[in-house]
């Protein structure tokens, strides 16, 4: 089967590599051409624009930053929908606002193409290992068509409802994750200010009920011993913005999310946008330490 893949970033590249390993013919495009080099070496055909990818592929996967990127890639000049896309299937796997997923679906359907949103739980390691969890919104028949592709990328596929519901479920997951990094920062700031060693705090947290799945692997980054970036603060900030907007649509006040938005905004303003989200912990510790020094 001819597949298309748009967006070879931190998540997109390992996902594309898995599809190449599974012997799919893969047509790829990335806004910055340098990020297509590895996929090209592994056998992917690099296209000059998204519309060429769509013209060559039966199913097209996209893994992009945010709504603006997805709208540009689908609806821009030379975008995915610029040519004839009748009977093609688009699998949109970025984390988007539910309303944007529905807008993209409508644009695809008007042109006779099918669309599902299938954002994922899991980061770069699970993407490399095909152990993501896809949260799918769309018609059952479209999911069945997507399944052979999603099976290569995921350990679990959950059909949560109509188009947009996959994106809503993804935002539901991401709020507690964002809260975790923020509250870990505050907890560690308190312990550290009171004289506990940061390494001891993290070691004890890891072995307690206050851990979470993603935390132990991030301890080296929090201690400043590794600068590996899998999920950056820019992306966390964008997700929290979407979470607040979506919550407000349903009259949920989103108080915790608003607090996190101020700390991710401050971290971005301090040049940490492209740092790993776990850096938020050290940023919060240092912010409290600096304000203490001023008092
Ligand atoms: P990333 O490394 O920053 O990659 C983003 C991709 O989007 C790049 O290919 C980038 O192209 C492309 N892009 C950005 N703006 C564009 C535009 N205007 N037009 C065309 N392409 C554009 O991000 P990522 O970490 O892979 O995340 C991708 C998506 O997955 C996001 O929606 C994120 O929320 C979600 N996600 C991430 C993780 C994670 O752990 N990283 C986990 C689950 C879900 P360039 O190379 O040209 O910049």
């Amino acid at each position: 089967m001819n597949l298309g893949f748009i967006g070879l970033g931190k998540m997109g590249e390992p996902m594309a590599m898995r599809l190449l390993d599974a012997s799919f013919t893969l047509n790829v495009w990335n806004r910055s051409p340098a990020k297509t080099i590895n996929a090209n070496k592994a056998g992917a055909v690099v296209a000059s624009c998204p519309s060429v990818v769509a013209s060559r592929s039966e199913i097209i996967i996209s893994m992009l930053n945010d709504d603006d990127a997805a709208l540009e890639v689908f609806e821009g000049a030379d975008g995915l929908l610029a040519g004839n896309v009748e009977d093609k299937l688009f699998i949109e796997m970025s984390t988007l606002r539910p309303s944007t997923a529905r807008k993209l679906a409508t644009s695809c359907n008007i042109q006779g193409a099918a669309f599902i949103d299938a954002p994922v739980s899991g980061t770069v390691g699970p993407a490399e290992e095909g152990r993501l969890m896809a949260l799918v919104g769309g018609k059952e028949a479209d999911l069945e068509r997507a399944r052979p592709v999603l099976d290569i990328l995921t350990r679990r596929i959950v059909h949560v409802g109509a188009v947009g519901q996959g994106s809503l479920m993804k935002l539901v997951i991401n709020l507690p994750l964002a809260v975790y990094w923020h509250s870990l920062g505050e907890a560690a700031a308190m312990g550290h200010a009171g004289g506990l060693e940061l390494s001891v705090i993290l070691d004890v947290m890891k072995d307690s009920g206050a851990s979470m799945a993603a935390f132990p692997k991030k301890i080296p980054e929090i201690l400043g011993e590794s600068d590996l970036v899998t999920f950056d603060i820019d992306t966390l900030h964008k997700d929290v913005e979407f979470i607040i907007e979506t919550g407000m649509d349903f009259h949920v006040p989103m108080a915790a999310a608003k607090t996190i938005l101020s700390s991710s905004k401050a971290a971005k303003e301090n040049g940490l946008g492209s740092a790993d989200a776990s850096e938020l912990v050290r940023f919060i510790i240092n912010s409290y330490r600096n304000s203490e020094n001023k008092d």
Side-chain angles (χ1 to χ4, degrees):
M1 193 197 294
N2 281 310
L3 296 183
F5 204 108
I6 305 283
L8 300 172
K10 289 187 278 302
M11 292 293 284
E13 185 184 87
M15 292 163 73
M17 290 298 194
R18 282 197 66 80
L19 295 170
L20 287 164
D21 279 351
S23 299
F24 284 106
T25 300
L26 202 63
N27 300 287
V28 300
W29 180 83
N30 192 76
R31 181 181 59 175
S32 316
K35 289 191 194 160
T36 60
I37 291 172
N38 291 341
N40 184 234
K41 278 187 191 151
V45 180
V46 180
S48 55
C49 60
S51 73
V52 172
V53 171
S55 70
R56 291 177 183 160
S57 314
E58 291 162 54
I59 297 182
I60 300 99
I61 303 123
S62 41
M63 193 56 167
L64 299 158
N65 259 28
D66 59 11
D67 301 46
D68 289 345
L71 287 165
E72 202 174 318
V73 161
F74 275 79
E75 299 183 350
D78 294 329
L80 287 170
L81 300 181
N84 179 4
V85 291
E86 209 169 338
D87 295 332
K88 295 183 188 285
L89 169 65
F90 292 94
I91 308 177
E92 185 18 84
M93 302 189 77
S94 328
T95 303
L96 304 178
R97 293 178 179 90
S99 56
T100 302
R102 287 191 287 271
K103 183 178 187 305
L104 293 173
T106 303
S107 302
C108 291
N109 296 161
I110 286 169
Q111 291 186 229
F115 177 100
I116 61 172
D117 57 327
V120 295
S121 167
T123 183
V124 174
E128 286 166 352
E129 294 157 11
R131 291 192 49 76
L132 297 167
M133 174 163 62
L135 310 165
V136 177
K139 293 186 186 132
E140 185 73 49
D142 296 333
L143 169 55
E144 286 318 307
R145 216 177 135 195
R147 205 176 277 280
V149 175
L150 293 179
D151 277 342
I152 305 294
L153 303 175
T154 64
R155 64 178 168 81
R156 186 171 175 202
I157 300 166
V158 190
H159 189 194
V160 289
V163 167
Q165 296 301 85
S167 304
L168 179 60
M169 187 67 227
K170 172 64 181 162
L171 296 183
V172 167
I173 292 177
N174 276 18
L175 175 56
L177 288 175
V179 168
Y180 187 83
W181 294 124
H182 180 90
S183 64
L184 181 62
E186 283 196 353
M190 176 178 73
H192 197 51
L196 296 173
E197 282 295 325
L198 182 57
S199 58
V200 172
I201 294 172
L202 298 178
D203 183 47
V204 173
M205 296 282 284
K206 178 181 77 171
D207 198 24
S208 77
S211 187
M212 69 147 180
F215 165 58
K217 282 194 195 132
K218 289 292 175 188
I219 290 177
E221 284 80 37
I222 298 171
L223 288 173
E225 292 166 357
S226 157
D227 54 9
L228 181 72
V229 180
T230 54
F231 176 76
D232 61 34
I233 288 177
D234 281 338
T235 306
L236 178 133
H237 184 79
K238 169 273 292 191
D239 286 352
V240 177
E241 278 182 334
F242 292 0
I243 287 165
I244 293 172
E245 282 173 32
T246 306
M248 302 299 267
D249 286 346
F250 299 117
H251 310 290
V252 182
M254 312 311 286
K258 285 176 188 163
T259 302
I260 295 152
L261 192 71
S262 355
S263 55
S264 57
K265 182 167 176 272
K268 276 164 67 75
E269 286 166 358
N270 279 272
L272 291 175
S274 58
D276 195 77
S278 56
E279 278 272 338
L280 204 54
V281 176
R282 247 174 345 129
F283 175 71
I284 292 170
I285 296 171
N286 289 335
S287 306
Y288 286 118
R289 197 185 284 151
N290 293 341
S291 67
E292 199 180 59
N293 289 343
K294 276 188 205 145
D295 290 343

